[in-house]
Amino acid sequence: MDFASAFLLTAVALFIAGYILQKHRADEEARQARETRLHAFEDAWANRFWAKADDPLTRVLSSWFKKTDYQSVSDFERLIEAWNKAAAFVSTYPDLVPARLTDTHGLEKTLLENLLKGKTAPDEQARLAYNRRRNLKEADRARDILTSPSGRTPNTSQS
């Protein structure tokens, strides 16, 4: 191999190595920027929405997702307000991925996953259906409790 061929081969190898290093550096900087934004989001989310465990907002969201309480109109209005507020906040972080939210658990993760999937706040019909299902479940539970040892169950007007 003559000098010119060796020089050309070396130059091409150096160019390729430089390109790979530059690409790797750019990918690493982008990854670090995403990590910084994710941590900033998690901190801001915790400070804005989950500052207190006994917060009425937390209670309303918890009862909706865990399906534990009857949804009154005033609670439902708070739920809608909280949902829309959280949706507006999440929309400022378009690169969020639910799988990356490792520090969020339970209720927070459920709400975030719904928001990131683009689900809108529930409407009045959803509240009524929710309460109807809850009432039927409570009636079934009461019927089971009131069933006598003889096997008789109360009729629908008695339960």
Side-chain angles (χ1 to χ4, degrees):
M1 180 183 302
D2 64 350
F3 176 75
S5 298
F7 180 76
L8 183 61
L9 189 59
T10 304
V12 170
L14 286 173
F15 175 77
I16 291 172
Y19 175 79
I20 290 170
L21 286 172
Q22 183 179 7
K23 176 90 170 99
H24 178 70
R25 185 179 315 125
D27 290 348
E28 183 61 23
E29 287 172 358
R31 187 193 65 75
Q32 286 178 350
R34 281 192 306 275
E35 288 295 318
T36 300
R37 278 184 58 75
L38 179 62
H39 290 303
F41 170 81
E42 288 174 343
D43 291 344
W45 177 264
N47 291 333
R48 181 169 294 185
F49 293 103
W50 306 102
K52 295 180 266 176
D54 61 341
D55 185 48
L57 173 69
T58 303
R59 185 185 61 74
V60 168
L61 287 168
S62 178
S63 73
W64 178 260
F65 284 115
K66 293 180 180 177
K67 300 179 179 359
T68 55
D69 294 331
Y70 178 83
Q71 289 291 314
S72 67
V73 172
S74 62
D75 281 348
F76 192 68
E77 288 170 355
R78 272 193 232 116
L79 171 73
I80 300 300
E81 179 184 338
W83 190 294
N84 291 334
K85 185 178 170 186
F89 179 70
V90 167
S91 70
T92 62
Y93 292 87
D95 53 347
L96 278 179
V97 178
R100 296 296 317 276
L101 301 170
T102 56
D103 291 344
T104 57
H105 301 287
L107 175 63
E108 294 176 65
K109 191 163 190 165
T110 303
L111 174 60
L112 281 171
E113 286 172 345
N114 278 282
L115 293 173
L116 292 172
K117 288 177 186 173
K119 290 189 178 180
T120 57
D123 60 4
E124 180 64 15
Q125 292 301 318
R127 182 185 79 84
L128 294 173
Y130 171 96
N131 285 339
R132 205 172 305 114
R133 282 189 308 271
R134 185 184 172 281
N135 290 343
L136 289 172
K137 193 185 296 184
E138 285 297 313
D140 287 343
R141 206 170 118 243
R143 190 174 297 111
D144 290 344
I145 291 171
L146 295 174
T147 300
S148 69
S150 66
R152 291 184 171 173
T153 58
N155 63 32
T156 54
S157 65
Q158 293 171 324
S159 59

